[in-house]
């Protein structure tokens, strides 16, 4: 079954700690995206990648970092510089280009200890 | 930068009734997409309408787009309890697949 897998489902971060959220897809999609969702809000774009070894900042990239070394994988690191990391993080992928639907994973909920 | 504004923020109806959700946006777009999100889950793509289209249907879903008013509506006919979810519009300005999401409409369908 093709799809996007995010892990872990729940994650807790201590003060001063970096944490990494995993996102893997087996849809053979070129483009991948990371979003942040706060309670009762829409999604805000953190980073996106249209092709392997390339990525761009979204609207709220400060305090986050990503890598795209493999087509299937797009991990997101929430650094200690992100002072308000508590949120629901969603990863998505698409074929790429314009007018293409995005396919989403089931998210990782990050909380502060 | 939220481009889409959705209305209403919450909607509660009885099973069998129709549900209409509206989305307004600020700048010109290439296409507009609607997504559904069940509580605690990821988003699921419902329908995409291009800027040169006025109306599109998919099963019980009907989407309209009025580019002169910069607005779109999603109609769900004969709603079911299983339609209970949040619904989001997302605009695509044709910039490498970047989507800008609205804040969503929370739909509750009571059996």
């Amino acid at each position: 079954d093709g799809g996007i897998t995010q892990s872990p489902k729940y994650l807790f971060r201590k003060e001063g700690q970096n944490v990494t959220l995993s996102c893997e897809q087996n849809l053979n999609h070129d483009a991948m995206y990371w979003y942040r969702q706060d309670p009762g809000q829409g999604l805000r774009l953190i980073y996106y990648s249209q092709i392997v070894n390339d990525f761009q900042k979204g609207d709220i990239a400060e305090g986050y970092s990503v890598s795209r070394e493999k087509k299937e994988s797009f991990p997101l690191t929430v650094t200690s510089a992100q002072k308000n990391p508590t949120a629901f993080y969603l990863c998505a992928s698409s074929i790429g280009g314009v007018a293409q639907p995005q396919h989403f994973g089931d998210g990782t909920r990050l909380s502060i200890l | 930068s939220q481009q889409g504004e959705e209305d209403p923020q919450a909607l509660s109806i009885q099973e069998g009734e129709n549900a209409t959700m509206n989305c307004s946006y600020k700048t010109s777009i290439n296409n507009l997409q609607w997504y559904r999100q069940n509580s605690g889950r990821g988003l699921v793509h419902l329908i995409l309408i291009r800027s040169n289209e006025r109306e599109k249907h998919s099963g019980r879903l009907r989407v309209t787009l009025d580019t002169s008013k910069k607005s779109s509506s999603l109609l769900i006919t004969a709603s079911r309890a299983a339609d209970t979810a949040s619904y989001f519009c997302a605009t695509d300005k044709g910039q490498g697949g970047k989507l800008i999401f609205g804040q969503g409409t929370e739909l509750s369908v009571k059996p």
Side-chain angles (χ1 to χ4, degrees), chain B residues 43-60:
Chain B
L43 278 69
V44 174
H45 180 260
L46 296 175
I47 199 163
L48 182 152
I49 186 165
R50 289 177 166 78
S51 60
N52 60 354
E53 297 175 309
R54 291 297 165 258
E55 188 171 311
K56 208 160 180 182
H57 296 255
S58 176
R60 292 183 296 113

Side-chain angles (χ1 to χ4, degrees), chain B residues 43-80:
Chain B
L43 278 69
V44 174
H45 180 260
L46 296 175
I47 199 163
L48 182 152
I49 186 165
R50 289 177 166 78
S51 60
N52 60 354
E53 297 175 309
R54 291 297 165 258
E55 188 171 311
K56 208 160 180 182
H57 296 255
S58 176
R60 292 183 296 113
L61 306 181
R62 173 179 166 249
V63 168
T64 62
L65 179 65
D66 186 334
T67 53
S68 65
K69 294 182 179 177
K70 292 187 171 57
S71 68
S72 174
S73 68
L74 170 66
L75 168 68
I76 304 175
T77 60
S79 62
R80 305 165 182 168

